[in-house]
Amino acid sequence: MAGQIDPEDSIFEALLGRDNAAAQEKKTHSANEKERALFEKQQRRLAELIQINTTLPCTVSSVHVLGAVNTRPGFLKRIIDPLLSANRDRPFTLSEAIRETQYAADKLHRHGIQVSAPACKLVLANWPGIFHEPISIFVDRPDRTDPSTTPTDVDLYLSVREKGRIAFRTGTEAGNTEGSAFTNLYLRNIFGGAESLNLNASLGTRTRTAYQANFEAPILANPDFRGEVGALASSTQKIWASHEEVLKGGWTKLRWLGRGGKHELGYTGMWRQVTGLAEKASPTVRGDAGDSVKSSVTYSVTNEQRDYPLLPQSGYFARSTLELAGWGPLQGDVAFGKAEVEGQGAVPIPLPGIKGNSGVSFTTGLRAGLMYPLPLGFDSKPQPSRINDRFQLGGPTDVRGFRLGGLGPRDGTDAVGGDVYAAGSANLLMPLPRLGPERPLRVQAFVNGGRLLALKQSEKGEMTSQSVRQSISSTIAELGNGLPSMSAGVGLVYGHPVARFELNFSLPLVIRKGGMSFPGFSPALRPLD
């Protein structure tokens, strides 16, 4: 009958179609493999040519950035201009051109970019930035029909893919005796020059409210020289001192990479209020209640040489910070000089029978701080320190085995802070059995301790420059009088890319007078600096 289809024919055609699809897939796979093999052969040949011809003259005639539709040409121009031979007093050799390309790629990397350049075998780590990884770098010859070209000319092409300009997230956090919920809005590459605006709002059990905004941008397209301005409004319960602190203010900072590490110079203007006093608040806390204004400049330098800051196996870390408040033209309501130093070292411990990295390491850390009373403005009489400027010591991320603010001077049940402190720790980190050193999970055994002291007041009760110097000297000498408050314990440590999580069991060994210990289990969260 017309129009009927033989079932056997349809089955045959279906099988034939399936065979054709399989054959086509095999053909496509074979073509892809040939293309990949050809590309690898070209890259090997390019590497050989570079190795053989490193001293040959080379002129970079042009640099093209493809895909940077939201990035200002002027911003990119400052980075790529040094590559152009027209801006040099002599031509490149091929090796110099590659080295300069690596340097330009490194500058892009420090703007938060991962660069992958097959010709120079450069692969750099990914930082939050304006481009997706990787940025591909290609070298090509210009059109030979162009009469303006020379035989030594080369063109450079950088192919990029920009990240989205808006990122939004919400979440919850728990740790360090506090829980909170937050909302964060991050605006990237706002004006096309790697600028960023970060807006954050959070509600918590201890930090009741916190609203923060900060704008950051590179200066002259230099990733090693950046500026930042920011503003903050927060309300935080200081349960260890029976009050609530309200902050409103702003800051401006300059950051640069220089000799000795990363440098930061900043100015902060902050209105502070000690309020919400508990019914049993001590006379010291009540005496410092009310409003104050801090106007200060700070300078810090950080030298980070650890292989992995959150779970270091080797290397060292050093940081020093200086703050000057209220003195001379700074004005405000408080005046002091504050200095802090911090250092940590880590060494790997080899184990018999294990080749390479055993995952076992020993770390030690030491930090100290000093607060020096100064005259306010152009006055000559030093001002005593206030509770919201003094150091606090103790807690799960500070000196384990003691309560928040559990070390140092007290007035009744309130930790009122101190002017001089020293603290140290020693940790032995070991990988868990069967997990190996590659996993960021460790068992730790630790011992830590510290002391926090207030400056001794003169018998007359008046503070003079001479009495301050004498008090500083005697207080520093007192730090070495006897053992500090100490504790020891064991715990689990997990090194997340952005924070270090700990669950520790601590037992106090030495408790100085007034110290408040916290034996038992305690979680801790240490964000990456």
Side-chain angles (χ1 to χ4, degrees), residues 220-483:
L220 300 177
N222 185 350
D224 297 331
F225 189 28
R226 303 182 67 86
E228 178 186 332
V229 293
L232 169 71
S234 69
S235 174
T236 305
Q237 279 263 316
K238 302 294 182 72
I239 54 176
W240 56 88
S242 303
H243 72 272
E244 181 177 343
E245 184 180 36
V246 177
L247 300 177
K248 292 181 180 179
W251 65 87
T252 180
K253 296 178 181 179
L254 288 176
R255 299 189 181 96
W256 68 95
L257 187 64
R259 187 174 181 180
K262 297 178 181 178
H263 301 255
E264 181 177 287
L265 178 65
Y267 169 80
T268 300
M270 196 69 65
W271 170 80
R272 299 100 52 87
Q273 184 181 60
V274 174
T275 184
L277 304 187
E279 184 178 343
K280 297 182 179 179
S282 65
T284 301
V285 175
R286 294 182 182 277
D288 284 341
D291 298 348
S292 65
V293 176
K294 184 177 80 167
S295 174
S296 69
V297 292
T298 57
Y299 171 73
S300 67
V301 57
T302 303
N303 191 352
E304 176 64 85
Q305 300 295 333
R306 294 172 295 184
D307 56 349
Y308 183 31
L310 293 172
L311 281 178
Q313 295 287 305
S314 63
Y316 66 91
F317 164 83
R319 175 165 54 202
S320 61
T321 304
L322 300 173
E323 182 179 11
L324 179 64
W327 183 77
L330 290 173
Q331 296 298 317
D333 293 335
V334 294
F336 59 84
K338 186 183 284 189
E340 288 187 85
V341 293
E342 180 181 1
Q344 186 189 65
V347 293
I349 299 178
L351 296 181
I354 298 180
K355 295 182 179 180
N357 179 23
S358 66
V360 181
S361 63
F362 180 71
T363 64
T364 58
L366 181 66
R367 55 197 179 91
L370 169 66
M371 187 171 179
Y372 197 104
L374 293 174
L376 182 61
F378 296 99
D379 197 4
S380 59
K381 183 180 178 181
Q383 299 290 311
S385 59
R386 297 174 61 91
I387 190 170
N388 41 0
D389 294 315
R390 301 186 197 113
F391 299 111
Q392 294 285 348
L393 200 62
T397 61
D398 193 31
V399 180
R400 307 179 190 94
F402 294 89
R403 295 185 181 275
L404 285 169
L407 300 180
R410 311 191 74 80
D411 186 353
T413 59
D414 291 334
V416 296
D419 304 287
V420 180
Y421 82 92
S425 65
N427 300 62
L428 181 65
L429 294 169
M430 300 165 287
L432 287 173
R434 298 186 180 180
L435 289 184
E438 296 80 15
R439 300 290 182 88
L441 191 62
R442 297 287 188 272
V443 176
Q444 75 167 348
F446 65 86
V447 58
N448 59 190
R451 281 195 81 181
L452 174 64
L453 302 175
L455 294 182
K456 298 180 179 179
Q457 302 293 330
S458 64
E459 296 180 358
K460 297 180 181 180
E462 296 182 356
M463 186 175 284
T464 64
S465 297
Q466 182 178 359
S467 68
V468 168
R469 287 194 295 270
Q470 292 174 348
S471 181
I472 289 286
S473 178
S474 61
T475 304
I476 292 176
E478 179 64 21
L479 277 178
N481 183 13
L483 291 173

Side-chain angles (χ1 to χ4, degrees), residues 47-163:
E48 291 172 1
L49 289 173
I50 291 174
Q51 184 68 27
I52 296 171
N53 301 295
T54 53
T55 59
L56 289 181
C58 172
T59 52
V60 179
S61 58
S62 65
V63 181
H64 307 270
V65 180
L66 310 176
V69 294
N70 295 314
T71 304
R72 294 196 315 268
F75 173 78
L76 295 171
K77 187 173 184 293
R78 288 183 177 273
I79 297 175
I80 64 179
D81 263 7
L83 287 173
L84 297 174
S85 295
N87 298 327
R88 293 171 52 87
D89 55 0
R90 65 178 182 84
F92 288 111
T93 64
L94 187 56
S95 61
E96 288 173 341
I98 294 172
R99 186 166 61 248
E100 289 298 318
T101 305
Q102 289 177 325
Y103 180 69
D106 185 56
K107 290 188 73 172
L108 292 176
H109 157 63
R110 295 199 301 275
H111 277 300
I113 299 164
Q114 173 154 329
V115 181
S116 178
C120 54
K121 299 181 187 275
L122 180 67
V123 178
L124 303 172
N126 183 36
W127 290 5
I130 60 176
F131 296 135
H132 284 286
E133 59 175 277
I135 292 178
S136 300
I137 300 177
F138 304 98
V139 181
D140 197 9
R141 293 282 190 183
D143 187 358
R144 295 306 182 195
T145 61
D146 186 350
S148 64
T149 62
T150 66
T152 60
D153 280 359
V154 295
D155 291 339
L156 294 178
Y157 292 84
L158 291 84
S159 179
V160 304
R161 187 164 60 95
E162 292 180 326
K163 290 184 178 179

